Amino acid sequence: LCNYGSSNQFIPTRLLDLRTSQPRICRRDDISENIKYATLSHCWGTLPFLVLKTDNLRTFQLQIPQEAFPKTFQDAIEISRYLGFEFLWIDSLCIVQDDDDDWNRESALMTQVYGASGINLAASGAADGSQGCFFERHRTWRCQITTHLKGFQQLWDCYPKNFQELLLHMPLSTRAWAVQERILPRRTLYFTKTQVYWECDRILACEGFPDGLSDLMSQEIYLMKRPASLEIWPRIVEAYSKCCLTFEKDKLVAISGLARLIHKATKVKYAAGLWTDNLEYELSWYAPNTRSI
């Protein structure tokens, strides 16, 4: 699998401790250095849900009732435990949401938080926390046919023309923060409405194609992960520009983790979404369907 980073090299400021029946928020100082943790990518949506605030921080450090978690969080906790992870990082529970200093400090650590996680769980099909990671499926979600030609029998997997859209057009794919949350982790499980996908820097697979998707099927889905380089930046910006932000002020912050990763690898100066070595090229952009002929 990916060999970028190590879960032992970085421990987030706070983590959700899953070692007891009632999870709780624990601090970095209370955690052993030799741990592995999972992260969650999810859509916040418009429904109110459980978040960490200054007035509940002390209570959450003792325990959080299981029934208080929205369904997406409950599923992520069960998945993490099933995979053997004792700690889970969720942005809304590990960053104090009404403390600007805490938010600014923690949001600057996204590169390390997602880059050092053992696995990222992406609730791709859920528009908000009430929907969870698992969905009812149509009985014919996978189609296979058998052909007989010149005495030979072959089994074929059939997939719809819009196969790429099954992952690309999920609610999470429209969220700008999720772009770097997809590229930074070493490995990710995507829970969509049709099937589960697996992505690392060596393979993109799913339940229908457990040995990996063909190049034809994956070329529009597979966002290159590492090594970080300036060559991949235009594609990152293109994917990022198609997404939405709840707060306009987050435009540069929500991609800053990727910028830090590329700067560390290339040493090229970053200037508000542009790179000084490629300024002329990067200023030659246009909005789709508006280019003059």
Side-chain angles (χ1 to χ4, degrees):
L1 298 177
C2 312
N3 56 10
Y4 170 76
S6 169
S7 58
N8 295 333
Q9 292 180 342
F10 176 83
I11 300 175
T13 304
R14 303 179 190 90
L15 282 168
L16 195 62
D17 188 346
L18 309 180
R19 291 174 295 182
T20 59
S21 58
Q22 298 286 0
R24 68 181 185 92
I25 299 297
C26 59
R27 301 175 301 172
R28 178 191 299 154
D29 296 340
D30 301 328
I31 305 173
S32 168
E33 294 183 0
N34 299 316
I35 67 162
K36 294 181 180 179
Y37 66 91
T39 50
L40 174 67
S41 293
H42 66 106
C43 289
W44 283 44
T46 57
L47 297 177
F49 64 96
L50 191 70
V51 298
L52 183 65
K53 293 186 176 181
T54 52
D55 62 358
N56 62 21
L57 175 57
R58 187 180 298 274
T59 301
F60 282 10
Q61 288 176 339
L62 297 176
Q63 70 173 34
I64 307 174
Q66 189 77 19
E67 60 273 13
F69 292 104
K71 190 174 188 306
T72 297
F73 292 8
Q74 292 181 20
D75 288 348
I77 290 171
E78 291 305 310
I79 295 167
S80 298
R81 285 171 169 164
Y82 180 81
L83 296 176
F85 290 92
E86 297 180 333
F87 298 92
L88 173 64
W89 189 90
I90 302 177
D91 52 3
S92 60
L93 290 178
C94 295
I95 301 176
V96 183
Q97 299 300 313
D98 59 353
D99 184 334
D100 290 341
D101 291 338
D102 192 77
W103 191 91
N104 290 330
R105 181 175 57 253
E106 295 302 313
S107 64
L109 299 176
M110 291 301 97
T111 309
Q112 294 98 313
V113 170
Y114 283 96
S117 69
I119 193 168
N120 185 46
L121 308 175
S124 300
D128 56 54
S130 68
Q131 296 179 327
C133 295
F134 303 103
F135 298 85
E136 293 293 332
R137 301 180 179 182
H138 197 279
R139 294 178 62 87
T140 58
W141 69 273
R142 181 180 185 184
C143 180
Q144 293 180 311
I145 62 172
T146 302
T147 61
H148 299 270
L149 182 64
K150 297 181 178 180
F152 292 96
Q153 178 176 305
Q154 288 184 306
L155 181 65
W156 298 83
D157 281 301
C158 301
Y159 64 93
K161 291 182 178 179
N162 64 340
F163 185 83
Q164 292 87 342
E165 298 177 6
L166 299 180
L167 180 58
L168 290 178
H169 290 187
M170 290 289 102
L172 188 62
S173 300
T174 66
R175 181 172 172 256
W177 280 96
V179 174
Q180 67 176 12
E181 292 171 8
R182 179 177 181 181
I183 298 175
L184 290 172
R186 295 174 294 168
R187 54 190 73 89
T188 300
L189 277 172
Y190 301 93
F191 297 87
T192 76
K193 293 182 178 180
T194 56
Q195 54 187 304
V196 177
Y197 290 76
W198 164 271
E199 183 180 35
C200 65
D201 69 348
R202 294 189 181 181
I203 191 173
L204 174 62
C206 62
E207 294 173 73
F209 299 91
D211 296 325
L213 275 67
S214 68
D215 292 339
L216 179 62
M217 288 188 288
S218 64
Q219 61 184 353
E220 295 297 326
I221 303 177
Y222 195 43
L223 282 180
M224 53 303 217
K225 288 182 173 287
R226 281 160 290 272
S229 66
L230 292 179
E231 286 72 22
I232 73 173
W233 186 253
R235 185 172 176 186
I236 291 174
V237 171
E238 182 177 353
Y240 185 74
S241 300
K242 297 176 181 177
C243 299
C244 301
L245 281 166
T246 303
F247 303 104
E248 188 70 15
K249 63 181 178 63
D250 292 347
K251 180 178 293 186
L252 294 178
V253 180
I255 202 173
S256 62
L258 292 174
R260 288 188 179 90
L261 187 66
I262 293 178
H263 171 71
K264 182 178 180 180
T266 64
K267 307 305 179 185
V268 177
K269 187 176 180 180
Y270 177 68
L274 305 173
W275 299 92
T276 55
D277 281 14
N278 288 338
L279 278 179
E280 296 87 351
Y281 170 74
E282 293 180 9
L283 287 171
S284 302
W285 61 270
Y286 65 92
N289 303 322
T290 62
R291 187 179 184 181
S292 300
I293 299 177

